[in-house]
Amino acid sequence: MNNRAKIISLAVVAAFAILVLRLFYIQVIDSSYKYDAQNNVLRREVQHPPRGEVYDRNGELLVRSIASYDLMAIPRDVKEFDTLTLARIAGVTPEKLKQELAKAANYSRRRPSVIVKQMSLESKLLFDEGDFSGFYTVYRTMRSYPRKIAGNLLGYISEVDAATIERDDYYQTGDYRGMSGIELTYEDVLRGEKGISVSVVDVHGITKGPYMDGAADIRAVPGKAITTSLDARLQELGEELMEGKVGSIIAIEPSTGEILVMVSSPGYDPDELVGRDRGNNYMKLLGNPRRPLFNRGVMSRYPPGSTFKVVNGLMALQEGSVTGNQKYPCHGGYTVGRGLKCHNHFSPVNMRQAVQTSCNTYFCYVFRDFIDNQKFGDPKQALDVWNEYLYSFGFGRSLDSDLSGELSGYVPTREYYDKAYHKRWNSLTILSLSIGQGELGCTPLQMANLATIIANRGYYYTPHIVKRIEGRDSIDSRFYERHRTMVESRHFDVIVDGMYDAVHKTGGTGWRAYVPGLDICGKTGTAENPHGADHSTFMCFAPKDDPKIAVSVYVEHGGFGGSVAAPIASLIIEQYLTDTITRPEMVDAVKQTTIPYPYYDRQK
Amino acid sequence: MTGKSNKTAESGLDWVSVAIFFGLMIIGWLNIYAAVFDESATGGFTFSSRYGSQLVWIGICTLAAIVIMLIDEIYYHVLAYPIYFLMLLVLLVTLAVGTTVNGAQSWLRIGGFSVQPAEFAKFATALALARYMSSYSFSMSDWKSKLAAAAIFGVPMVIILLQNDAGSAIVFASFLVVFYREGFNGWFYVAAGMLVFLFVFSFIWTPTVLLAAIIVICTAIEGIMNGGWKRNIRYLAAVGFVSATICLAASLISGRVLDYYWFLLGSALASLAAVGIYAWRTTLYNIFISIGMLVGSIAFTGMVDAVFAHMKLHQQKRILNLLGVESDPQFWGYNVNQSKIAIGSGGFFGKGYLQGTQTKYDFVPEQSTDFIFCTVGEEWGFVGSVIVLGLFCWLILRLIRMGERQQEAFGRVYCYGVAAIFLFHVLVNVGMTIGIMPVIGIPLPLFSYGGSSLLAFTLLFFVAVKLDSHGREGIARSRNLQ
């Protein structure tokens, strides 16, 4: 072969070799083209599931999900369109529409933005008939509340903020998320699982059909329905009774720890936090000095007051520092040290009578006998034991319920007093603890839990609002665990008898809670506080044997515990146990009781 | 020739090459079908679709091939010039009354058909060139001969360029391969390589760096030719030192920073006088080659800049994009980018026939014409691409061999011409789709949709086969006589 022919042939082979090497690089080595190819042809659309609904214990619908559609736009793809028609369909002014579109284009021309939120299904169907290139609708769940109760217990949902999107991959701009209450606690149950539909598009963005015949799609899983332990009718009654008053009612089923009622007053109509007026209404509620968004049942801390006396009595009985028959005289108060006043009642009293009459003096003796008991060594060690008892009753720590924002309350420790009194303190220094005053702080839920413990004679289940989750056999295992207190069952009888007498006998402080035949056992409390008049509290359960309901009522600045709180509690119990109200005049009287709150309203 | 290829010699026809040719044509058609394939389309096969009309063209080409084989080879020799001049006339007519497609006035409407005369001009030019270069009066050492030969492919090239069809025009440069085979000076190709280097780096480097590189290269060539490195290094140091000193001094006097380029250029050109005197005295006359290269290179880079400045924006962008200086996937780089995505996503084994998402959903522009190779790359993968390229390479090597076994220069020049045109088309087209060649709109032979191109390549190829079969018939005949 000619020499030059050889050179040419070699050059030809070399040139083809370069092409082959280059092909090998882009087809086999460099994988980036494969991702680019997918991005070119596959369009992934998120399918939003409907949010789970919420029911009460009897199957009544509390929170309903209704379909709503957000109008989205990708400014880059928006072609000429009829502004007037689209504005009419979406229910906004053409100016507003243009403004939102300009805002969206300003944010990003390639990424979708929400143009109009929460359109109705009718609007969506009208939109679908029109030809609005670059616009599309996204399904969202809107909430509606058929019973309009328990706003701050159920909580609300709201669009996720940038920080949440950053933190949690699940959420994208425009998604809704539970922000408080049950909506927040059970967010991952209620929200369901988003799906993805993958479709193939051509270069013009026109869908050519599902990718792999839909095999690559992930179907959206609707949110699970939650059945709460709440009794809607009881809740409604509770909210009515608390009108004009600030405070809370909590009722628990002692045998399970299920919360039957959780009223936080003032409340609000949960429908106010839905829809286009949501923003304004939210700001209004936020600005209300009585703080309606706040679930007082778990988010406030009160001095427990006299209801707490039974705890001191129980632990003293357990430790043997007092017996049920031990009597102490009371003539207007306890006189050692700075002393503690008491109201007028018969004397002397034993444990049962002291509970019945809520005798301060008696519990001063009991408390000091406990703290100064030689068997603990010194008062500081005795206080450590006292702390342990309180912890076993669920005080001083969060009960770990399923309610969002639950506080732990406060139980003073020896470290606290060592610091406050430079280590120079004794049983007299901390005497106010004997009657549930002083540094003690409890949530109403903890007080209701105390009522449960007494009803159960010594144990409780962690209070919870969830009863059943759709598709699951059981709720969280922690709600099945029985928590025993450090006090044995046998010591409870004398306290229960005292609480029975407080309602049933003359000279009992809780006589207003008496309902014939219901065997209500109760303990009043009148909690002194630095903000104004005493808080009125009442803790009770019924029936005495085989209790079905335990209730704690806390009315801020309501005065004597027997006057406001006790009737409310008894009405709740009566309604729950007998399904009737035999004392309508009492309902009216309670409803008409309006308590002034200068402490709150001054802040305006 | 070797004994191996004589197996088919009895028939006279190179059946292997014919098989490769039709194999490529069929594979090409399958890919056009895939490129226009649309699952959602109803109605099935139709002749009005691209794959339908391409099938009609394949039929026409097959007939044409048979006709070519039946015509006595002497006519191609005899008719070479008439065909060539007729073709020039048609090109001129096209230039006058042609239809404009994609900015190029290169189409002629005849009845219901549109033909692109430029495609057939390659065939006519190859014939005419073969005729001329095989004539007794032709000699590679004769300047007149060389100029006349260059004019044979230069004239249609210019006319096609005037039609604003730069892609088709550049193809005629592939006849330079034929020139090389026929004994054209190898230095020409070295110089051409230098020009390509200067062209490419005039866009990548700053003028000063490029100038310095030219000076160093020319000095180095002088060093290679005459030996003696020390004086070359001394020369470079002197030019650098003088130019830098003057630049610094001038900057200080004028009070502003002056462009070093002009001082380096001035010093280099001024030094040439001294270098010329040195060459004269030492009788090292080949130093003048270096001097000529230096001046030529500087002139060439200046010309490149001037031409570039007068180019249309899209042409500038394409050049810059090709050289990797600028890249904007949404605009000028879009075609190439999408094409690379399609081919790259094919992977090793490809996505399978009719399964290519990029080509099927129109992400690649011009996918049944200039970018048809994307379908090959995406659906058949690296394996399929290599097979197709391998077939092309084989076909071209066989054409070269056909040329080599011709007994007369006419057949050899013609076969080389055909091989060069195939080579140029395949390299540029495939290179373009994978981003190593500029985006020049020329078809992939036997693959790209279009009757003109298919028929033109059929003509080119089968005339070569016919010439080859005649030659071998002769061999066979003489062997039988013995």
Side-chain angles (χ1 to χ4, degrees):
Chain A
M1 211 167 176
N2 177 293
N3 201 30
R4 291 204 166 195
K6 281 181 188 161
I7 291 173
I8 292 170
S9 300
L10 267 177
V12 169
V13 173
F16 275 95
I18 289 170
L19 292 186
V20 169
L21 283 176
R22 171 71 177 170
L23 276 169
F24 187 74
Y25 177 75
I26 71 169
Q27 292 191 298
V28 181
I29 294 175
D30 190 346
S31 60
S32 65
Y33 296 109
K34 288 157 194 74
Y35 298 114
D36 289 344
Q38 293 230 319
N39 288 340
N40 261 347
V41 292
L42 299 186
R43 176 187 286 163
R44 293 175 177 78
E45 273 174 297
V46 175
Q47 304 290 310
H48 293 269
R51 199 173 171 86
E53 308 198 309
V54 181
Y55 296 89
D56 91 334
R57 64 187 297 116
N58 302 315
E60 267 198 65
L61 194 56
L62 297 180
V63 186
R64 179 193 293 157
S65 275
I66 49 178
S68 123
Y69 297 86
D70 282 0
L71 181 65
M72 312 287 288
I74 299 173
R76 185 183 62 171
D77 300 337
V78 172
K79 306 256 161 59
E80 284 284 308
F81 68 99
D82 185 349
T83 318
L84 281 175
T85 311
L86 186 57
R88 188 168 46 72
I89 289 172
V92 293
T93 62
E95 289 72 33
K96 169 85 174 159
L97 184 66
K98 280 182 199 158
Q99 191 190 327
E100 287 296 326
L101 207 53
K103 217 198 293 178
N106 202 26
Y107 160 67
S108 167
R109 290 190 54 75
R110 301 179 62 173
R111 279 189 235 162
S113 295
V114 183
I115 302 298
V116 180
K117 280 182 195 165
Q118 299 176 341
M119 301 194 309
S120 65
L121 179 61
E122 294 78 56
S123 295
K124 192 250 177 194
L125 293 175
L126 279 173
F127 170 84
D128 288 346
E129 283 170 19
D131 177 23
F132 301 104
S133 176
F135 291 94
Y136 61 98
T137 55
V138 171
Y139 172 86
R140 306 278 186 200
T141 297
M142 223 160 59
R143 292 306 222 183
S144 106
Y145 303 87
R147 297 293 301 237
K148 299 190 182 299
I149 54 170
N152 43 34
L153 174 64
L154 297 169
Y156 61 92
I157 58 171
S158 153
E159 218 176 299
V160 288
D161 56 6
T164 309
I165 297 168
E166 186 77 18
R167 197 173 55 242
D168 191 336
D169 287 346
Y170 183 85
Y171 300 103
Q172 287 163 336
T173 310
D175 286 357
Y176 283 77
R177 170 176 174 266
M179 302 303 274
S180 71
I182 292 169
E183 299 275 19
L184 172 60
T185 316
Y186 290 100
E187 166 69 10
D188 52 350
V189 175
L190 290 169
R191 73 184 179 190
E193 285 165 42
K194 282 185 203 167
I196 291 173
S197 77
V198 188
S199 49
V200 179
V201 295
D202 69 4
V203 70
H204 308 293
I206 293 163
T207 305
K208 307 294 274 191
Y211 177 58
M212 288 163 55
D213 289 327
D217 293 4
I218 300 170
R219 199 147 292 182
V221 180
K224 300 275 184 289
I226 286 186
T227 301
T228 64
S229 55
L230 214 63
D231 184 316
R233 287 165 67 196
L234 212 55
Q235 176 80 14
E236 200 165 9
L237 174 67
E239 290 187 11
E240 282 173 21
L241 295 173
M242 287 300 285
E243 269 170 30
K245 295 168 273 292
V246 172
S248 76
I249 305 171
I250 294 173
I252 295 174
E253 185 178 67
S255 60
T256 57
E258 289 174 3
I259 294 168
L260 301 168
V261 172
M262 185 170 246
V263 176
S264 176
S265 179
Y268 61 90
D269 175 0
D271 274 326
E272 282 186 23
L273 292 185
V274 177
R276 292 187 187 163
D277 292 331
R278 189 187 161 272
N280 289 335
N281 291 337
Y282 180 75
M283 291 318 288
K284 229 183 280 172
L285 290 173
L286 204 61
N288 186 333
R290 294 192 185 187
R291 306 178 73 180
L293 289 171
F294 196 64
N295 183 2
R296 289 182 155 75
V298 289
M299 296 164 94
S300 59
R301 195 172 103 184
Y302 299 113
S306 300
T307 50
F308 187 77
K309 285 172 184 165
V310 297
V311 182
N312 278 327
L314 283 166
M315 65 175 87
L317 289 168
Q318 176 69 31
E319 290 295 334
S321 61
V322 72
T323 63
N325 298 323
Q326 175 77 47
K327 290 197 174 191
Y328 287 111
C330 172
H331 300 289
Y334 187 71
T335 52
V336 186
R338 278 180 298 164
L340 245 169
K341 280 187 182 160
C342 192
H343 53 92
N344 192 24
H345 58 83
F346 60 89
S347 173
V349 289
N350 61 16
M351 178 67 82
R352 178 173 176 168
Q353 290 160 334
V355 172
Q356 177 199 339
T357 57
S358 194
C359 175
N360 287 348
T361 311
Y362 189 87
F363 284 100
C364 286
Y365 283 113
V366 168
F367 183 71
R368 287 201 68 202
D369 285 350
F370 185 94
I371 296 296
D372 294 337
N373 198 316
Q374 292 298 321
K375 77 178 198 182
F376 300 128
D378 60 17
K380 296 181 181 185
Q381 283 166 307
L383 191 72
D384 291 344
V385 177
W386 188 80
N387 282 165
E388 287 306 313
Y389 272 101
L390 291 199
Y391 295 147
S392 80
F393 275 81
F395 291 106
R397 58 180 173 81
S398 162
L399 286 167
D400 199 21
S401 72
D402 54 354
L403 297 155
S404 68
E406 194 201 336
L407 294 183
S408 57
Y410 185 71
V411 169
T413 58
R414 73 145 97 183
E415 288 77 21
Y416 173 82
Y417 288 118
D418 279 350
K419 211 175 163 193
Y421 298 105
H422 305 289
K423 302 196 176 181
R424 292 155 59 97
W425 55 273
N426 57 34
S427 59
L428 273 176
T429 324
I430 57 174
L431 191 60
S432 46
L433 296 180
S434 65
I435 57 162
Q437 293 290 150
E439 293 81 1
L440 276 172
C442 305
T443 64
L445 185 67
Q446 285 169 328
M447 299 308 295
N449 194 47
L450 176 59
T452 303
I453 291 168
I454 297 164
N456 286 337
R457 274 71 166 176
Y459 65 86
Y460 70 93
Y461 293 97
T462 300
H464 51 278
I465 194 73
V466 67
K467 190 170 170 64
R468 210 164 34 245
I469 295 172
E470 183 190 352
R472 294 192 193 169
D473 293 336
S474 57
I475 53 173
D476 196 290
S477 61
R478 72 181 197 270
F479 300 133
Y480 297 113
E481 192 186 331
R482 181 184 285 200
H483 298 277
R484 290 216 70 90
T485 61
M486 287 162 66
V487 179
E488 289 165 55
S489 294
R490 59 193 169 94
H491 298 299
F492 279 86
D493 291 336
V494 61
I495 299 294
V496 170
D497 287 341
M499 287 171 67
Y500 182 83
D501 293 347
V503 177
H504 291 84
K505 282 195 177 168
T506 45
T509 52
W511 60 272
R512 277 197 180 85
Y514 173 71
V515 182
L518 293 187
D519 286 354
I520 296 173
C521 304
K523 179 74 197 76
T524 56
T526 309
E528 290 173 24
N529 66 85
H531 305 301
D534 294 346
H535 296 322
S536 169
T537 89
F538 192 69
M539 168 191 86
C540 60
F541 64 89
K544 183 184 171 200
D545 303 311
D546 189 22
K548 294 273 186 272
I549 180 170
V551 181
S552 154
V553 177
Y554 216 104
V555 179
E556 292 187 24
H557 309 310
F560 172 56
S563 63
V564 187
I568 293 173
S570 75
L571 287 167
I572 292 288
I573 288 177
E574 189 184 9
Q575 171 69 41
Y576 185 67
L577 293 180
T578 67
D579 211 9
T580 48
I581 296 286
T582 52
R583 301 165 294 171
E585 72 286 350
M586 187 179 260
V587 174
D588 291 338
V590 170
K591 276 196 201 173
Q592 279 156 22
T593 307
T594 305
I595 295 166
Y597 290 97
Y599 170 67
Y600 286 121
D601 298 337
R602 202 170 44 227
Q603 294 172 350
K604 213 166 208 173
Chain B
M1 288 314 297
T2 55
K4 195 178 140 198
S5 63
N6 282 339
K7 275 185 228 162
T8 54
E10 304 308 324
S11 68
L13 197 71
D14 189 345
W15 283 110
V16 175
S17 297
V18 173
I20 298 169
F21 183 89
F22 277 104
L24 283 167
M25 200 138 108
I26 290 162
I27 297 172
W29 183 82
L30 289 174
N31 281 291
I32 289 177
Y33 183 81
V36 276
F37 174 71
D38 186 351
E39 287 160 312
S40 55
T42 50
F45 189 92
T46 114
F47 280 106
S48 63
S49 63
R50 286 203 159 184
Y51 55 82
S53 82
Q54 187 75 356
L55 200 60
V56 172
W57 276 109
I58 288 174
I60 292 170
C61 287
T62 311
L63 282 176
I66 293 167
V67 170
I68 290 164
M69 298 314 289
L70 294 176
I71 295 170
D72 195 291
E73 65 280 353
I74 194 69
Y75 288 105
Y76 302 119
H77 192 272
V78 170
L79 293 175
Y81 289 146
I83 290 173
Y84 177 72
F85 287 110
L86 186 69
M87 200 65 233
L88 286 186
L89 193 67
V90 173
L91 282 176
L92 286 170
V93 169
T94 310
L95 185 59
V97 299
T99 320
T100 305
V101 175
N102 288 337
Q105 195 175 0
S106 56
W107 292 80
L108 208 56
R109 287 195 70 86
I110 304 167
F113 284 111
S114 280
V115 290
Q116 202 174 5
E119 293 294 334
F120 299 100
K122 292 167 201 164
F123 167 67
T125 308
L127 273 182
L129 204 61
R131 174 76 194 270
Y132 181 71
M133 289 175 83
S134 62
S135 63
Y136 292 112
S137 57
F138 178 80
S139 164
M140 255 312 169
S141 53
D142 176 20
W143 273 105
K144 265 193 206 161
S145 293
K146 275 190 273 195
L147 277 176
I152 288 176
F153 72 82
V155 171
M157 196 173 171
V158 168
I159 300 174
I160 293 169
L161 207 55
L162 290 174
Q163 291 174 353
N164 206 15
D165 187 359
S168 301
I170 289 172
V171 173
F172 286 81
S174 54
F175 286 112
L176 287 171
V177 176
V178 183
F179 273 46
Y180 179 72
R181 171 62 186 84
E182 296 304 306
F184 199 63
N185 192 343
W187 276 102
F188 171 81
Y189 297 89
V190 173
M194 180 75 180
L195 291 183
V196 170
F197 163 81
L198 289 174
F199 177 80
V200 169
F201 284 93
S202 66
F203 293 102
I204 295 172
W205 287 347
T206 63
T208 313
V209 174
L210 189 65
L211 180 62
I214 291 168
I215 295 169
V216 169
I217 289 170
C218 293
T219 313
I221 286 173
E222 196 278 329
I224 291 165
M225 288 190 297
N226 297 323
W229 290 96
K230 280 182 185 166
R231 60 195 171 86
N232 296 57
I233 290 166
R234 249 183 271 134
Y235 167 76
L236 288 176
V239 170
F241 178 75
V242 169
S243 58
T245 309
I246 298 172
C247 176
L248 204 64
S251 297
L252 283 173
I253 292 164
S254 70
R256 57 204 167 90
V257 181
L258 297 170
D259 190 352
Y260 177 64
Y261 175 80
W262 298 108
F263 293 93
L264 184 60
L265 184 64
S267 307
L269 291 177
S271 74
L272 291 182
V275 173
I277 293 165
Y278 174 82
W280 188 260
R281 285 198 182 151
T282 54
T283 66
L284 291 171
Y285 298 123
N286 57 12
I287 289 179
F288 287 106
I289 295 178
S290 276
I291 292 175
M293 263 186 84
L294 184 74
V295 176
S297 297
I298 291 166
F300 179 73
T301 50
M303 209 169 72
V304 168
D305 288 345
V307 169
F308 185 76
H310 285 95
M311 272 187 179
K312 286 173 189 152
L313 186 67
H314 76 272
Q315 289 168 323
Q316 291 185 347
K317 289 266 188 184
R318 278 188 178 187
I319 290 170
L320 295 181
N321 192 36
L322 172 76
L323 297 176
V325 181
E326 258 179 35
S327 146
D328 186 347
Q330 281 306 311
F331 294 97
W332 299 108
Y334 178 82
N335 293 8
V336 175
N337 197 46
Q338 292 294 350
S339 154
K340 279 198 286 189
I341 289 172
I343 294 171
S345 67
F348 196 79
F349 291 110
K351 296 177 186 170
Y353 188 54
L354 302 182
Q355 302 300 312
T357 52
Q358 302 300 295
T359 42
K360 199 158 68 176
Y361 298 127
D362 304 335
F363 284 93
V364 182
E366 306 288 339
Q367 52 186 310
S368 58
T369 55
D370 292 351
F371 284 91
I372 186 70
F373 193 72
C374 294
T375 315
V376 180
E378 188 183 15
E379 299 191 346
W380 306 85
F382 179 69
V383 173
S385 306
V386 168
I387 289 171
V388 168
L389 287 180
L391 287 175
F392 271 119
C393 187
W394 193 10
L395 189 70
I396 290 163
L397 291 176
R398 284 196 82 89
L399 277 166
I400 290 173
R401 209 163 59 180
M402 280 182 206
E404 288 301 321
R405 68 187 171 208
Q406 292 289 321
Q407 288 164 324
E408 289 166 44
F410 177 79
R412 185 175 68 236
V413 172
Y414 180 79
C415 287
Y416 265 94
V418 175
I421 289 168
F422 267 91
L423 178 68
F424 190 92
H425 270 269
V426 175
L427 289 187
V428 172
N429 182 284
V430 175
M432 163 181 87
T433 61
I434 56 181
I436 55 174
M437 283 280 174
V439 181
I440 295 171
I442 60 171
L444 183 61
L446 315 181
F447 272 64
S448 292
Y449 170 78
S452 300
S453 159
L454 197 64
L455 191 56
F457 280 109
T458 306
L459 284 175
L460 276 169
F461 179 76
F462 276 96
V463 170
V465 170
K466 177 67 186 171
L467 293 175
D468 177 58
S469 72
H470 162 69
R472 290 203 285 172
E473 268 169 10
I475 293 166
R477 228 178 281 136
S478 62
R479 198 175 283 146
N480 289 341
L481 287 173
Q482 278 170 358

